[in-house]
Amino acid sequence: MQIVTMGGVTIGLLLLVYTLITWWPGAKALRKDPAGAVASLLPFLIAWAYGVLAILTVGGLIGWVADTTLWISNWLGDAALVWGVGGQAGRQGATVAYLPLTQPGSGIVLILTAVIVAVAKRKKTPADVKSSLKTGAWCGICLGTSAGVAGFAAVPLAQASNWLGATVYGPFA
């Protein structure tokens, strides 16, 4: 598993802030139709949760893609911190122990991968939903192992995935 750096967290936060700014419908529209406004953010949130679970996978193709994405994000973010604002690159100060995915939990991540890919490849899926899926997964990968609040979301997501996998796979688990 790739360890996130300050640059990777910065990229993840940039993706999150960008998404929230472009999504924000305005206070009046949010009061008028809160369910509709939140529904338009749902593809990003689902993909974000998937990205968090993907970075928690131990190996395989999904783990490799998530680790590579995090490695590139770390490099880009560190370069932006050093050359963009004169900061320093490096690991976060605190480290967090994460709950690993069990075999059934990993099976759920594989199923979620198929769902995300199918929705993203579907011709009738709007372009903004496809973009939200990609951005959400990238953001989740960057923030999934951070030592901040976003990283702590990894524990309940892993527990939910492990529980769902144990429930679905039953005696095979």
Side-chain angles (χ1 to χ4, degrees):
M1 179 190 302
Q2 190 71 242
I3 303 297
V4 70
T5 65
M6 291 298 293
V9 173
T10 302
I11 294 292
L13 291 173
L14 285 170
L15 292 168
L16 179 63
V17 169
Y18 176 81
T19 299
L20 291 176
I21 288 171
T22 57
W23 161 80
W24 181 250
K28 185 176 180 181
L30 194 57
R31 275 188 241 119
K32 183 179 179 184
D33 185 21
V38 172
S40 66
L41 192 59
L42 204 54
F44 175 84
L45 294 174
I46 291 170
W48 179 85
Y50 167 75
V52 170
L53 289 172
I55 197 63
L56 294 177
T57 57
V58 179
L61 184 60
I62 295 169
W64 180 80
V65 168
D67 282 349
T68 303
T69 301
L70 183 56
W71 175 78
I72 291 168
S73 300
N74 285 340
W75 187 87
L76 288 172
D78 287 341
L81 286 174
V82 171
W83 295 322
V85 294
Q88 294 181 345
R91 289 185 166 190
Q92 288 184 294
T95 57
V96 179
Y98 294 97
L99 181 69
L101 291 171
T102 60
Q103 280 299 103
S106 295
I108 296 300
V109 173
L110 182 61
I111 292 167
L112 288 173
T113 301
V115 169
I116 295 284
V117 169
V119 171
K121 292 293 183 183
R122 189 170 177 246
K123 289 183 181 183
K124 292 184 179 183
T125 302
D128 62 330
V129 171
K130 290 180 181 185
S131 176
S132 289
L133 290 174
K134 293 172 189 172
T135 306
W138 187 12
C139 182
I141 288 170
C142 289
L143 296 179
T145 57
S146 70
V149 174
F152 289 120
V155 173
L157 284 171
Q159 287 174 334
S161 181
N162 291 340
W163 171 82
L164 183 60
T167 303
V168 169
Y169 290 102
F172 301 108

